[in-house]
Structure formats: C-alpha cells, structure tokens
Amino acid sequence: MSYVDEVLARVAEKNAEQPEFLQAVTEVLNSLRPVIDQNETQYRKEALLERITEPERVVMFRVPWVDDQGQVQVNRGFRVQFNSAIGPYKGGLRLHPSVNLGIIKFLGFEQIFKNSLTGLPIGGGKGGSDFNPKGKSDREIMAFCQSFMTELSRHIGADTDVPAGDIGVGGREIGYMFGQYKRIRNQYEGVLTGKGLSYGGSLARTEATGYGLLYFTKEMLQANNIDLAGKTVCISGSGNVAIYAAQKAQQLGAKVVTVSDSTGWVYDPDGIDIALLKQVKEIDRARLTAYAEKKTNAVYHEGRGVWVTKCDVALPCATQNELLIDDAKALVENGCFAVAEGANMPTTLEATQYLQQHGVLFAPGKAANAGGVATSALEMSQNSERLSWTFDEVDAKLHDIMVNIFRNLDSAAKRYGVAGDYVAGANIAGFEKIANAMIAQGVC
Ligand code: NDP
C-alpha cells in the first residue's frame, strides 16, 4: 500500500465521525501524491503525513452566558491549533449552530496550506462555537463573546495564535472579544485581526477576501487568454466574502447576476446593486426578500438554485458543500468555464472532479480566498510596527499576493506534470514549504 493510502486509512479510522475533516484530508493527500511518491522514504521515516494530519493542540471548552430573559445558556467553544511550522497559528472563528470539532478541524487543516500559499509567516488554526448569533440582541452577543474570550485568552497571543472572523464573526464580535482579551490579559496587542480601524484594524481587511478572489480569478483567466470584463458571474452567499467579490467583479467590468442566503437567492438581470445589497445585509441585517422588494427587476427564489443560472464564471461564497454534483452538471451545461471558490470547500469532491474533467478552470478556496488571511497577516505587521498603511497600500499588496499565489500554484502544477490542475498545484505549493519547515525543526 502506498504511504498516502496507509495514512488515509489511519486518519479515516481515527476520525470516523468527522466527515468534513476526512473529506479535506482525502482531497489534499490525494493531490499531493506526485510529491509524496518522490520523497516517500524520507517522509515515511519522519512520519510527516501522520504529523501533518494531527493537530498540535485541540482546545474544547464550555461557554456559559446569560440571555435577555436571565436564563443561563451553555455553548461549546473550540480552538484547533493545527500547525505552527511557519508561524503563529492563524485562522478565523466561526459562530454557527453547525459548528463541531470535525468542521473546525477541516477548516484548520485547510488553513495550514492556505496560509503557506500566501508566502507570509503564519501557521494554521481555526476555532468557533455552536452558538447561533441569529436573532440575538447586541447584549447577548457581547455576553457570549466575553465568555468565549475569557477561556480563549489563555491559549492565544500576538506571537502564539491570532484568530480572526469567519461566518457569524464580523467587526462587532471581534470588538467585544478584543475588549475582553485586553481586560483579562492587560495587554494591548494584535491578538485578533479584523479589528475596527480605531483600535488597530487594517484598511481593506473587510474587502480583502472578496477583492482577493477577483484578483486571483482575473489572473487565472488571463493565463488562459480570457478577459473577465464583459462576463456574467453567479455568486452565492451575501455575506462579507460575497458582497466584496460582487463589488470588485463589477469594478472589473463583469456583471454579477445572483446572490443568495441560507433561505433563498436573488436573480437580478441588471447586475446586483451593491449599495442596496450592503444596505440589506450589512445595515438592516435583513433577508434577501428585502432586496427583491426594492429592486423591481430582481426575482427572489426560495431555497437553493443559484447554479442553474446561466453564467460564464461561478463564485461560490457561502459555505462548505454548497455546490453539488448536479450543480456542477448544470454549470457545465450552461457553458460556465471557470469556478473560483470564495468560501472554504464549497464544492464537493465529486463536483470538483466533474468540473475539472469537463475543462472548467477550477480555483480551490485555499488559494482563491487566501486574500482574507493574507490581509490579516498585513494587519499583524502593522500592529507590530504600530503603524497604519493606507487603503491603496494594503490593496496593492493584496493584489500582488494574489497574483503570486496564482503564479506559484500554476508553476507547481506544471513542475509535477499536472498543468492546469490548480487544486493539485495549490496543495503542492502550500505543502512544500510546510514540509521543509517541519523537517528542519526536527520531531515536534
Ligand atoms: P458571512 O457570515 O458574512 O456570510 C455567509 C453567507 O453564506 C451568508 O449570506 C449566509 O446566509 C450564507 N450561508 C451560510 N450558511 C449557509 C447555508 N448552510 N446554506 C446557504 N447559505 C448559507 O461569512 P463570510 O462571507 O465571512 O464567509 C463565507 C465563506 O467564506 C465561509 O466558508 C468562510 O469560511 C469563507 N471565508 C471567509 C473569509 C473572510 O475573510 N470572511 C476568508 C476566507 C474564507 P445567512 O445570512 O442567511 O446566514
């Protein structure tokens, strides 16, 4: 049995109840076969794959808080510190009822390679809780965030582990958590990223994941002699990533015709009105029905369905496993030629393979959405030097990072004889740096 197959079998046995984690490990290790086969003896002796698939540390904790009725509620908190070979652990915090250890491990595992790809010195981690922020008052959100940080503060620090936002964690939650960290540790340090501008945040962090996704997509299309301008784009989600992906796509001359949320989706033949979308989602925190009510040409549909819309480029920006095999078939049938993942693992393995087999350019999230974490690392740099860069400086650095990520994975894919397979290219380029650092640091 090959080394990869042996490790996959062992990981499956040890983590049988964590399907998302197994899916991520399977996808990554399978695509690393060309590199691992070439170095099999050394990697086996070093138990490199066993080490890289086992988190350095998992912290699971109780998060008690009091709701507006005076009732005590209890949630479960997580921080998975997966790999610190190339820098302090770095990765977001997710607040969503679906959160469990397997999901946080899958996200933390993916984060290792994504962070490596940025070229910046950041290790991989992820955290969150099964707390549902929907429908909670500001005071309840603060009570939860303070309780969550009371425990988390023991495990993180500017040189140890620097969390950020993810689903359900935006500027408001980061603010409450930062305040609590400072209060407990009596230290004003860059321990979280995604902070408000008045207390150490970076300009362009809010826009970074969505903008970065488009810088990457434009570069990928250009390398295949396609111009993004004039193309029709379908986007899913209407959160942080989706909104700024839509904004940058339109700035680059494309037309975005869909967005979605967890209850339905909107088709707007005129192109999504970004100002209205921001008003509905960022300010009113309302459903997309409110968008369709204000925009007469837009049509609202209940449930799933974004991917049946005809488009040239698809950008899934909502959540994991939201682009399924039937969606992939519909996209191919409708002539879509590029899919770039704004969300983490939104496309199932089966759908990814179908798209690749049918000649669709496929950009995996760990490369295409790395602009968020890259700009978080730029926020860390600004905090360390106690300076703030301008929006244009940060945006220019983000642009260069995304272009370099594409070039690195494109060249890694070519070096290992899998040209055009950007999934393999991203995993290989991310893995090589981690593997070298882990081996150099000995058995740890
Ligand atoms: P937000 O919470 O801002 O938005 C998430 C969006 O996805 C919302 O529109 C939400 O709808 C929708 N959504 C969530 N769950 C589901 C579901 N089960 N079915 C359909 N729609 C759903 O999150 P972000 O935009 O920050 O993150 C989106 C994705 O991008 C995640 O996978 C995240 O891990 C990834 N990512 C985010 C980065 C960032 O910087 N923010 C960086 C890199 C990756 P509703 O409003 O109804 O809940």
Side-chain angles (χ1 to χ4, degrees):
M1 206 194 255
S2 78
Y3 182 36
V4 168
D5 289 323
E6 253 178 54
V7 173
L8 282 177
R10 208 166 308 150
V11 172
E13 198 184 317
K14 281 171 85 174
N15 303 279
E17 72 299 351
Q18 297 173 356
E20 292 86 358
F21 177 58
L22 292 180
Q23 181 182 341
V25 173
T26 305
E27 184 252 308
V28 170
L29 294 199
N30 272 333
S31 70
L32 290 176
R33 282 178 198 272
V35 191
I36 291 162
D37 291 350
Q38 270 187 27
N39 300 282
E40 174 150 351
T41 312
Q42 186 192 17
Y43 288 173
R44 243 184 214 281
K45 185 156 184 285
E46 299 268 358
L48 192 78
L49 297 186
E50 288 87 338
R51 283 195 280 151
I52 214 166
T53 52
E54 192 66 39
E56 289 176 19
R57 191 171 302 102
V58 171
V59 189
M60 251 170 81
F61 50 97
R62 179 170 77 201
V63 188
W65 56 281
V66 182
D67 70 17
D68 284 349
Q69 283 68 48
Q71 173 66 46
V72 176
Q73 302 285 347
V74 180
N75 287 98
R76 184 174 281 178
F78 302 89
R79 186 70 185 165
V80 173
Q81 299 181 328
F82 222 118
N83 192 300
S84 61
I86 61 167
Y89 311 105
K90 180 98 198 80
L93 298 170
R94 176 175 294 191
L95 299 183
H96 194 271
S98 64
V99 163
N100 58 39
L101 183 57
I103 288 185
I104 299 296
K105 278 177 65 182
F106 121 62
L107 291 164
F109 183 70
E110 289 276 307
Q111 196 83 44
I112 306 171
F113 304 96
K114 180 192 299 195
N115 291 1
S116 169
L117 273 175
T118 66
L120 301 168
I122 38 180
K126 197 82 188 187
S129 170
D130 57 3
F131 172 76
N132 185 359
K134 283 210 182 97
K136 301 290 190 299
S137 69
D138 258 7
R139 196 210 60 80
E140 288 175 323
I141 297 281
M142 183 167 72
F144 172 84
C145 289
Q146 290 183 338
S147 180
F148 182 79
M149 183 50 84
T150 300
E151 175 57 33
L152 189 67
S153 63
R154 303 164 196 269
H155 310 288
I156 61 176
D159 294 318
T160 310
D161 183 355
V162 183
D166 189 65
I167 293 178
V169 177
R172 174 180 60 170
E173 293 74 18
I174 293 288
Y176 293 148
M177 290 187 201
F178 183 76
Q180 185 73 350
Y181 179 87
K182 187 165 57 73
R183 196 172 164 205
I184 293 176
R185 298 283 291 264
N186 195 24
Q187 260 166 7
Y188 203 109
E189 57 175 9
V191 67
L192 289 160
T193 56
K195 299 188 290 298
L197 291 177
S198 58
Y199 61 96
S202 173
L203 285 163
R205 174 61 189 90
T206 306
E207 294 82 357
T209 308
Y211 278 23
L213 173 66
L214 267 297
Y215 295 148
F216 183 98
T217 304
K218 184 168 187 275
E219 188 65 23
M220 175 177 79
L221 293 181
Q222 238 163 33
N224 289 278
N225 303 313
I226 303 169
D227 191 356
L228 178 65
K231 301 296 182 295
T232 301
V233 176
C234 276
I235 290 183
S236 63
S238 50
N240 173 262
V241 180
I243 290 173
Y244 293 96
Q247 183 171 61
K248 184 51 75 178
Q250 315 228 103
Q251 284 172 6
L252 294 174
K255 188 203 252 190
V256 178
V257 292
T258 63
V259 285
S260 68
D261 63 19
S262 50
T263 52
W265 58 287
V266 160
Y267 172 71
D268 189 340
D270 304 334
I272 295 293
D273 178 335
I274 305 294
L276 176 59
L277 181 65
K278 285 186 180 180
Q279 177 68 37
V280 169
K281 283 293 167 184
E282 292 185 335
I283 298 164
D284 302 340
R285 293 179 193 255
R287 312 309 311 169
L288 281 173
T289 41
Y291 179 97
E293 276 158 20
K294 295 202 174 88
K295 191 83 193 307
T296 41
N297 270 353
V299 187
Y300 177 81
H301 302 265
E302 272 303 314
R304 303 181 70 247
V306 167
W307 312 123
V308 300
T309 309
K310 187 169 170 45
C311 66
D312 302 310
V313 176
L315 305 175
C317 296
T319 190
Q320 68 269 6
N321 294 330
E322 49 149 323
L323 199 163
L324 313 175
I325 182 69
D326 287 344
D327 302 321
K329 287 181 181 167
L331 286 170
V332 169
E333 174 117 17
N334 283 330
C336 168
F337 50 73
V339 174
E341 296 184 319
N344 286 316
M345 210 168 72
T347 318
T348 61
L349 270 179
E350 206 186 2
T352 303
Q353 282 160 3
Y354 185 88
L355 291 167
Q356 288 185 312
Q357 281 157 8
H358 287 79
V360 176
L361 302 171
F362 184 86
K366 67 169 70 70
N369 71 30
V373 75
T375 307
S376 278
L378 299 179
E379 182 175 332
M380 289 165 72
S381 300
Q382 294 169 75
N383 292 163
S384 297
E385 60 178 22
R386 302 205 193 286
L387 288 175
S388 297
W389 305 336
T390 64
F391 186 99
D392 288 346
E393 271 177 281
V394 179
D395 191 34
K397 285 184 167 56
L398 168 66
H399 179 268
D400 290 352
I401 289 168
M402 298 313 295
V403 167
N404 278 333
I405 292 176
F406 175 75
R407 292 187 182 157
N408 285 342
L409 66 83
D410 188 37
S411 99
K414 286 176 179 151
R415 252 186 299 125
Y416 283 92
V418 285
D421 182 345
Y422 302 134
V423 174
N427 288 332
I428 293 168
F431 172 80
E432 281 180 325
K433 184 173 172 190
I434 304 286
N436 292 341
M438 285 177 73
I439 290 168
Q441 290 170 30
V443 179
C444 59

